Amino acid sequence: MTVCLTVVLISTYEMGRQPFGLASPAAWLRRAGVRVSCVDLSVEKLPTTLLQEADLIAFYLPMHTATRKAVQVLSQIKGINPRAFFCFYGLYASMNSDYLRSLGANVIISGEFEEALVKVVQEFTSKQGKGVCSLPTAFIHSLPRQQFIPPYRDELPSLDRYAHLILSNGAKRQVGYTEASRGCKHNCRHCPVVTVYQGHFRIVQRDVVLADIDQQVDAGAQHITFGDPDFFNGVGHAMSLARSLHQRHPGLTYDVTIKIEHLLKYSQHLEALRDTGCLFITSAVESIDDRVLRLLDKGHTCEDFLAVRALFRKVGLTLNPTFVTFTPWTTWKSYRELLNLLAEEDLIHNVS
C-alpha cells in the first residue's frame, strides 16, 4: 500500500531572514519523495487549508523568540487540525523538550535535523500504511556528519519580503542567508549551541553552500549573511569558501559571525575577508567586565575586545559587537562603564 504523506514545515521567526531551517530539510524530504510545504509565519498568514490537509507538522525553533511564537500559534493549529502529528526541531526544541511535550509534541529533534526528519517521516509513513496514525513520543539527539544537499527555496516567500541591508551611502541591498557550518568548538556557558553540540561542529560542504548562494543571487540577493555560530570554527573551510564566493560573484557582499578569540588568533585573514566582500563582522563580546567574561567562559578579555577594535580600524572592517547587557553580576557602575566605552570607541551606531 502506497501512502502519500503531507508534511508542513513552519518557521515563526528568524530575524528577518528567509529560513535555511525550512529550505534545507524541505530539500531532503523532497528527495525522499515526500510532499512538503513550507510556511514562514513571520511574513505569511496561517494557511488554513494547507494545515487541515497536513499529516505531520514540524516547527523550526532556532531561538527563544521563535519558540515563544510557535507556542502561541500551536493551539490554533491544533484547532485547525487536531489529528496532525507534531514535531519540533532546532536548538530551542531540545532545550524546551519537556515543556513542548506537555503541549502535545510527538517528536523533538536535537542537532542535525535533516536526516532525522526524513527518518521520522519515513517511520510515520510506514505506520500509516499499516493503519497506525501515530508514533510514540520521542526525543532524537542527532549529530551525524551529514552530506548536505542544496536547500529547496521555491516554497518560501521571495527575498524582497525579508530584511535589506542599507549602506552608508543610502544604497539598499537585498539580503540572502545561508550556513557554512553548525555547532561550535567552544563551550561558552550562556550559549544555546553548547547544550546541543557540546563542543562539536559540523561543516556544510563548500559546493552545497555555493550552490545555495547561486540560487539566491539568481533570486535577487546582493548580500549574504552567513549564520554560522562562528565562521572561523573551521577557518580553512571558511577562507576557501570566501575566496570561491568572490570568484563566482565579485560584486556580492557578505557578513559573518566570529569570536573575539578567533579574530585575534586568525587576524592574518582579516584583509582577505575584506577583499572578498565582507562588509562587517558580528562578534559576541557579551561584556567588558573580565569577571563576567570568565564566568561565561568566553575565552577573551576586555583588552582583547579593544585589540580587535583597533585591528578593524587598521584593516577597514566594520565590527558589530553584541552584548548580554544584563546579567546577575551587572551593576550600575559596570553598565555605565559599558556605555562610556562604546561611546569612546565610536561604536554607538554599531551596537543594536
Side-chain angles (χ1 to χ4, degrees):
M1 177 180 178
T2 301
V3 177
C4 188
L5 189 70
T6 300
V7 174
V8 177
L9 305 178
I10 297 178
S11 173
T12 58
Y13 176 79
E14 202 170 353
M15 297 179 68
R17 304 160 175 163
Q18 192 186 62
F20 183 91
L22 298 193
S24 183
W28 286 63
L29 290 166
R30 281 172 56 85
R31 186 178 65 175
V34 177
R35 186 170 60 192
V36 59
S37 297
C38 298
V39 178
D40 185 354
L41 294 180
S42 71
V43 294
E44 297 179 286
K45 294 182 178 179
L46 275 177
T48 303
T49 302
L50 181 65
L51 292 170
Q52 285 173 338
E53 296 172 352
D55 299 297
L56 188 148
I57 298 171
F59 286 90
Y60 176 49
L61 307 182
M63 56 191 75
H64 177 80
T65 302
T67 308
R68 293 288 296 268
K69 287 183 174 294
V71 167
Q72 288 172 0
V73 79
L74 179 61
S75 60
Q76 187 177 350
I77 293 177
K78 281 188 165 185
I80 294 170
N81 185 350
R83 67 174 181 82
F85 183 84
F86 287 93
C87 177
F88 294 82
Y89 63 100
L91 290 177
Y92 275 75
S94 54
M95 290 178 67
N96 294 282
S97 59
D98 290 343
Y99 176 54
L100 294 171
R101 281 196 189 98
S102 75
L103 298 177
N106 299 103
V107 169
I108 309 290
I109 297 175
S110 167
E112 301 293 275
F113 44 77
E114 288 88 350
E115 185 177 289
L117 265 172
V118 170
K119 290 179 179 177
V120 166
V121 170
Q122 287 173 338
E123 185 176 352
F124 186 81
T125 303
S126 171
K127 288 184 177 292
Q128 269 205 329
K130 297 173 182 176
V132 180
C133 295
S134 65
L135 289 174
T137 301
F139 179 89
I140 301 169
H141 183 64
S142 176
L143 287 180
R145 296 184 184 277
Q146 298 183 140
Q147 179 60 51
F148 284 85
I149 59 176
Y152 176 72
R153 296 182 177 275
D154 293 5
E155 283 283 331
L156 293 171
S158 60
L159 287 177
D160 59 10
R161 299 187 65 185
Y162 293 93
H164 287 71
L165 175 71
I166 301 175
L167 303 179
S168 56
N169 63 5
K172 190 159 89 168
R173 293 191 177 183
Q174 198 158 288
V175 178
Y177 173 89
T178 196
E179 296 174 4
S181 66
R182 290 190 186 141
C184 188
K185 288 181 176 179
H186 301 272
N187 288 292
C188 305
R189 294 195 178 100
H190 65 298
C191 180
V193 177
V194 177
T195 64
V196 174
Y197 286 88
Q198 299 176 348
H200 300 285
F201 81 106
R202 295 289 181 259
I203 292 295
V204 181
Q205 292 77 24
R206 185 178 64 170
D207 61 330
V208 174
V209 180
L210 291 171
D212 187 29
I213 293 172
D214 287 346
Q215 67 176 328
Q216 293 185 76
V217 170
D218 289 343
Q222 300 159 301
H223 178 93
I224 295 292
T225 290
F226 284 94
D228 310 39
D230 190 327
F231 195 62
F232 273 2
N233 267 321
V235 67
H237 171 63
M239 293 311 304
S240 173
L241 179 57
R243 292 187 179 97
S244 297
L245 176 60
H246 187 60
Q247 288 173 358
R248 290 163 84 116
H249 304 289
L252 190 71
T253 56
Y254 64 93
D255 68 272
V256 297
T257 297
I258 303 174
K259 281 173 65 72
I260 292 293
E261 177 183 354
H262 283 170
L263 290 170
L264 288 175
K265 184 176 181 180
Y266 303 116
S267 59
Q268 71 270 26
H269 295 300
L270 293 180
E271 289 184 0
L273 288 177
R274 177 200 64 200
D275 293 343
T276 54
C278 184
L279 287 188
F280 63 93
I281 295 175
T282 300
S283 193
V285 178
E286 313 303 29
S287 177
I288 64 165
D289 184 328
D290 284 345
R291 174 174 176 260
V292 173
L293 290 170
R294 286 193 299 272
L295 289 166
L296 298 180
D297 198 15
K298 279 303 298 179
H300 70 257
T301 63
C302 180
E303 184 179 349
D304 293 334
F305 164 45
L306 295 176
V308 166
R309 173 61 173 153
L311 272 173
F312 273 51
R313 281 198 187 100
K314 181 179 178 181
V315 172
L317 273 171
T318 297
L319 179 65
N320 172 38
T322 61
F323 297 90
V324 179
T325 315
F326 299 103
T327 72
W329 312 283
T330 302
T331 65
W332 286 113
K333 179 174 181 292
S334 68
Y335 183 55
R336 287 194 298 269
E337 288 172 347
L338 170 63
L339 299 181
N340 286 332
L341 183 65
L342 295 178
E344 290 165 6
E345 291 295 323
D346 194 25
L347 285 169
I348 289 174
H349 295 292
N350 301 50
V351 177
S352 296

